[in-house]
Amino acid sequence: MKNFLVDIQRLRGVACLLVLLQHIALICPLVWLVMHVPPHFRVGSGAVHIFFAISGFVITLSIKDKLPTGGTFLERVKGSGSFLGEFYVKRFFRIVPVMMFVLLLAAVFFGMTESNTAWLSTLCRIPAEVFAGVYNYSVEKFVTVEKLHLSGTGPFWTLGLEMQFYLLWPLVLMMLPSHSDRACLSLSLGLLFLLVIQPVCVLFFGYYYYAIYQNISAIFLGAFLAYLYTGEKIKVNAFYSTIAMLFLIATVWLYPNVMPLSVFYSQIVVSLASVAAVALAVFVGNSFAIPLVGQFLEYLGNRSYSFYAVQLVLASVVVYFTQADCYADYGLKQFLIFIVVLYLTTEFVYNCIEKPLRNFGNK
């Protein structure tokens, strides 16, 4: 098996740049960007699907051979008790310290700039909402202050989704006794959300960017890639094969005729493209193997979590203290200041918080 880590990190770096483009364009856009670049080229909201697909692949690959097979479900859970404890501790120190630092930074900023302290109680609820997997539904209702178009803690909506995956996925896998069954489950859940739950919910309830059903298929399909990567022999009996074939044929035949094409295909393409990008990084490799470009993307990918987490609150800080009015005065000076502040803060958070505490959790 090839070493995919470098290519995964480069792909993370690409996703980081796309997310940065999204945040710059929608929150504090450069006048030039608004005036000269078409809107369709100023957003990178689909980049989070790449992060989700990577998480599904990496997490499943890291746990699949450590979860026991055979026996009953209770026996498998009992046999993996020590590993599950270690796994949850690692996830805690991987995610929570950076999140708490950003919340502290946001609290200091709001405390300095807001006379109304209504933001404090809401800010304190965010960790619980992230752990409960509901912050992605309340992010837009966070702090309604005039100078902020989106809360500085907005990036944590993805943690609400991933946290539930981290907590539940090992237990879900252990419900099945073999790697083959677990691989089929990963693929089935991915296709179920991709081809049924996601488009049906969009059709009846409307498109909601932060919804779990809108984003989770990439995680399960990424998990399925982990089983393909390790060469597991996936066995499906004739009955389930027939059911799956009928489902796919019905999807190809029926869905385009009963659903608006924009509802059915747009997010499916985003999810599949994200999973395909991860598959290329894992199975082919040498992506972005260009002098300096590859090294830069790898560097950024290593710091992707810190880079992603601090962006919005720093954008708000720069806009406020440079007295720039979003959508009007955010020009080259503010952009350069923001990039410098983003770089320095990312380096501080990564080297002083994320990396040391992640290493501590891995001991």
Side-chain angles (χ1 to χ4, degrees), residues 122-314:
T122 308
L123 194 69
C124 292
R125 291 201 307 268
I126 289 179
E129 291 181 335
V130 169
F131 276 96
V134 298
Y135 183 61
N136 51 328
Y137 292 100
S138 61
V139 59
E140 292 181 315
K141 301 176 182 178
F142 179 47
V143 181
T144 55
V145 289
E146 292 182 359
K147 65 176 175 291
L148 293 178
H149 294 278
L150 181 65
S151 161
T153 60
F156 293 151
W157 76 267
T158 62
L159 296 185
L161 193 158
E162 293 202 28
M163 189 66 71
Q164 296 307 297
F165 178 73
Y166 299 149
L167 291 174
L168 299 176
W169 189 233
L171 300 176
V172 171
L173 289 178
M174 282 193 293
M175 293 176 64
L176 299 174
S178 70
H179 290 309
S180 176
D181 292 338
R182 294 168 184 177
C184 290
L185 175 67
S186 303
L187 179 60
S188 299
L189 288 174
L191 292 177
L192 181 65
F193 276 92
L194 185 73
L195 301 177
V196 179
I197 296 177
Q198 176 179 299
V200 168
C201 287
V202 172
L203 180 65
F204 288 100
F205 304 113
Y207 176 76
Y208 184 59
Y209 175 68
Y210 301 106
I212 289 177
Y213 64 76
Q214 199 67 41
N215 298 279
I216 202 168
S217 61
I219 291 183
F220 291 130
L221 293 176
F224 177 67
L225 289 181
Y227 287 98
L228 291 183
Y229 179 72
T230 54
E232 294 293 341
K233 294 182 179 179
I234 302 173
K235 300 178 181 179
V236 181
N237 62 41
F239 173 76
Y240 289 111
S241 176
T242 301
I243 295 297
M245 185 62 71
L246 290 174
F247 166 72
L248 292 174
I249 291 174
T251 298
V252 171
W253 169 60
L254 182 61
Y255 268 51
N257 298 307
V258 299
M259 287 194 175
L261 295 184
S262 60
V263 169
F264 183 64
Y265 287 116
S266 59
Q267 289 303 304
I268 289 178
V269 170
V270 171
S271 297
L272 289 179
S274 301
V275 175
V278 175
L280 283 175
V282 170
F283 293 103
V284 179
N286 295 321
S287 302
F288 307 103
I290 305 170
L292 298 181
V293 174
Q295 289 90 331
F296 170 72
L297 291 176
E298 185 179 351
Y299 167 86
L300 191 57
N302 287 328
R303 293 155 175 77
S304 58
Y305 179 37
S306 295
F307 182 84
Y308 173 76
V310 301
Q311 280 182 32
L312 295 188
V313 68
L314 291 182

Side-chain angles (χ1 to χ4, degrees), residues 96-145:
V96 174
V98 172
M99 179 178 69
M100 298 306 295
F101 172 80
V102 175
L103 292 178
L104 177 62
L105 185 61
V108 171
F109 174 60
F110 292 135
M112 294 173 60
T113 60
E114 288 299 312
S115 58
N116 187 341
T117 60
W119 54 267
L120 183 59
S121 61
T122 308
L123 194 69
C124 292
R125 291 201 307 268
I126 289 179
E129 291 181 335
V130 169
F131 276 96
V134 298
Y135 183 61
N136 51 328
Y137 292 100
S138 61
V139 59
E140 292 181 315
K141 301 176 182 178
F142 179 47
V143 181
T144 55
V145 289

